[in-house]
Amino acid sequence: MKIPQGCQPDTKLLLRGKGIQELNGSRKGEHFVHIKIKIPKKVTEQQEALLRKFEEEGNQPTKGFAKAASSAFEKLFRDKKKDKDKKE
């Protein structure tokens, strides 16, 4: 199965004719696939730097998954940034 680029969390994809076969029949039903995306709660400083670089290089308006990931990303690092600002 190929997952489309930009697929959102909790997306449902449909595979026609790939489901369970009908009782006393030869036709197969549809198979629904629920996409679950996990965003890490903790990342190393190197991973954070790479994610920030990835975000900068995107230079595209945030929508869909990018927007969801961005808000999760900000929640994840907001406290770290506040702590850094307080130390300086």
Side-chain angles (χ1 to χ4, degrees):
M1 160 176 234
K2 291 184 181 181
I3 298 182
Q5 182 177 357
C7 196
Q8 302 298 306
D10 296 321
T11 296
K12 294 174 186 128
L13 302 176
L14 173 65
L15 298 173
R16 293 188 191 278
K18 301 290 183 181
I20 298 173
Q21 188 170 345
E22 289 181 350
L23 189 59
N24 299 323
S26 60
R27 182 179 169 270
K28 287 190 175 185
E30 282 84 39
H31 182 96
F32 288 91
V33 178
H34 298 256
I35 304 297
K36 300 290 182 189
I37 298 173
K38 291 186 179 181
I39 299 173
K41 293 180 181 178
K42 294 182 181 181
V43 295
T44 65
E45 287 184 25
Q46 182 182 8
Q47 290 170 327
E48 179 181 352
L50 290 169
L51 287 168
R52 291 212 182 266
K53 184 177 179 184
F54 178 75
E55 180 182 36
E56 288 170 9
E57 289 182 8
N59 290 331
Q60 296 176 359
T62 56
K63 59 183 176 181
F65 175 73
K67 187 173 184 178
S70 176
S71 74
F73 184 74
E74 288 305 317
K75 286 177 188 175
L76 181 65
F77 296 116
R78 184 178 332 146
D79 294 333
K80 279 187 178 181
K81 192 173 182 181
K82 285 181 184 176
D83 290 343
K84 272 188 179 178
D85 292 342
K86 286 180 184 178
K87 288 181 183 177
E88 294 174 358

